[in-house]
Amino acid sequence: MKGRQVILRAYGQPFEIQEYDVPDPGPGDIVLRITQAGICGSDMHTWRGDTENNPVPPQGRAMGHEGTGVVYKLGQGVTTDALGSPLHEGDRVIHTAILPCQHCPQCLRGDHNLCVNRVSRTVGEFPYFIGTFADYYYVTPRQPVFKVPDELSDEVLGPVNCAMGTVTQGLTVAGVREGQSVVIQGAGGLGLTATAMAKDMGADRVIVLDRLENRLRLAEEFGADDTINIAEYVSTSVAKRCRLIPPPWC
Ligand SMILES: [Zn+2]
Ligand SMILES: [Zn+2]
């Protein structure tokens, strides 16, 4: 059985699609069949090469980190999801997008993004399916998986393991509580998610800042009580620079 994986070879260029044999999962691992993938702002930065001093590796870069799928094959010893629910082939799951070690001091503190033992997987090497812009995705024990309730459609699951996870952490760390006012800077994917989640968490007033009217109108649809177009409050020179430099640098 073969599957496809989308690869970035050069910034700003069309992606390549590579085919690989779908590996059997090792003990503790899971192979997913991807059913939905989200296009994150980070994917756009990666494709454009916005990260300075970070050339594309010679093997290329596997694309996609948001996404969801169904269990294609379970490795030896995998019988449940991270919460103990029985797991079977065909079950819909969401997986964590990063691969922290789960054991270092940073991981134990909950700061998985600061893990000192992070691993990077190489394009073209086992397990091949390392991005969600693909037919399959290889999950290791570093990545907890969670069974998805039937009432959630595939359409809403794509961004859960990036945009929604990031926003959940942000609002939790910020300590958002009922009755509070919340200011959200930027009405992109994360900002819109944060707007809806802050309202759901009981925020009384959610105020969203952006410089693009269409994004602010979207924020209202996502529950913003007030929106502010910052372009109306910055100096002419800054506004001019904002028009010249595309987001997010402005
Ligand atoms: Zn993302
Ligand atoms: Zn760690």
Side-chain angles (χ1 to χ4, degrees):
M1 172 70 74
K2 284 192 179 292
R4 297 165 297 175
Q5 169 71 62
V6 170
I7 311 289
L8 172 78
R9 294 283 184 204
Y11 292 132
Q13 297 300 309
F15 293 133
E16 245 182 60
I17 297 178
Q18 284 286 334
E19 280 203 341
Y20 303 108
D21 287 324
V22 181
D24 282 327
D29 298 340
I30 304 171
V31 174
L32 304 182
R33 182 172 58 77
I34 292 291
T35 54
Q36 185 85 17
I39 300 174
C40 178
S42 302
D43 295 319
M44 294 300 296
H45 293 310
T46 300
W47 177 71
R48 288 196 303 235
D50 289 338
T51 312
E52 289 178 29
N53 305 318
N54 192 12
V56 180
Q59 305 88 342
R61 189 166 286 153
M63 292 299 297
H65 53 277
E66 296 184 358
T68 184
V70 296
V71 174
Y72 177 66
K73 273 188 187 170
L74 291 172
Q76 187 188 350
V78 185
T79 56
T80 68
D81 73 357
L83 295 176
S85 298
L87 206 54
H88 302 102
E89 288 174 6
D91 282 346
R92 300 163 70 225
V93 293
I94 193 85
H95 66 280
T96 53
I98 58 173
L99 290 80
C101 74
Q102 313 283 1
H103 296 289
C104 74
Q106 284 80 352
C107 281
L108 293 175
R109 218 173 39 223
D111 296 330
H112 296 106
N113 55 319
L114 302 178
C115 174
V116 296
N117 299 316
R118 290 179 76 167
V119 292
S120 59
R121 305 194 278 191
T122 305
V123 168
E125 294 180 6
F126 179 86
Y128 307 106
F129 297 93
I130 55 179
T132 53
F133 296 175
D135 292 319
Y136 297 89
Y137 182 81
Y138 196 96
V139 176
T140 75
R142 286 172 171 246
Q143 299 164 277
V145 298
F146 302 88
K147 250 166 109 165
V148 175
D150 290 340
E151 60 265 33
L152 294 180
S153 69
D154 279 358
E155 282 69 30
V156 303
L157 295 177
V160 166
N161 59 1
C162 180
M164 193 171 178
T166 304
V167 164
T168 302
Q169 177 76 353
L171 294 175
T172 304
V173 170
V176 173
R177 296 212 166 83
E178 288 195 1
Q180 288 184 327
S181 295
V182 176
V183 176
I184 294 169
Q185 299 195 51
L190 269 71
L192 294 173
T193 304
T195 301
M197 288 187 69
K199 288 304 288 184
D200 194 59
M201 291 167 76
D204 177 46
R205 232 179 138 194
V206 175
I207 304 155
V208 181
L209 283 58
D210 204 285
R211 65 181 183 87
L212 296 174
E213 276 301 320
N214 58 333
R215 284 161 57 123
L216 292 173
R217 296 292 80 77
L218 264 180
E220 286 168 0
E221 289 181 34
F222 275 71
D225 297 286
D226 298 290
T227 58
I228 297 172
N229 190 329
I230 58 167
E232 295 170 12
Y233 294 91
V234 295
S235 68
T236 310
S237 60
V238 172
K240 190 175 171 194
R241 198 187 71 208
C242 287
R243 280 195 296 276
L244 292 173
I245 305 173
W249 308 116
C250 174

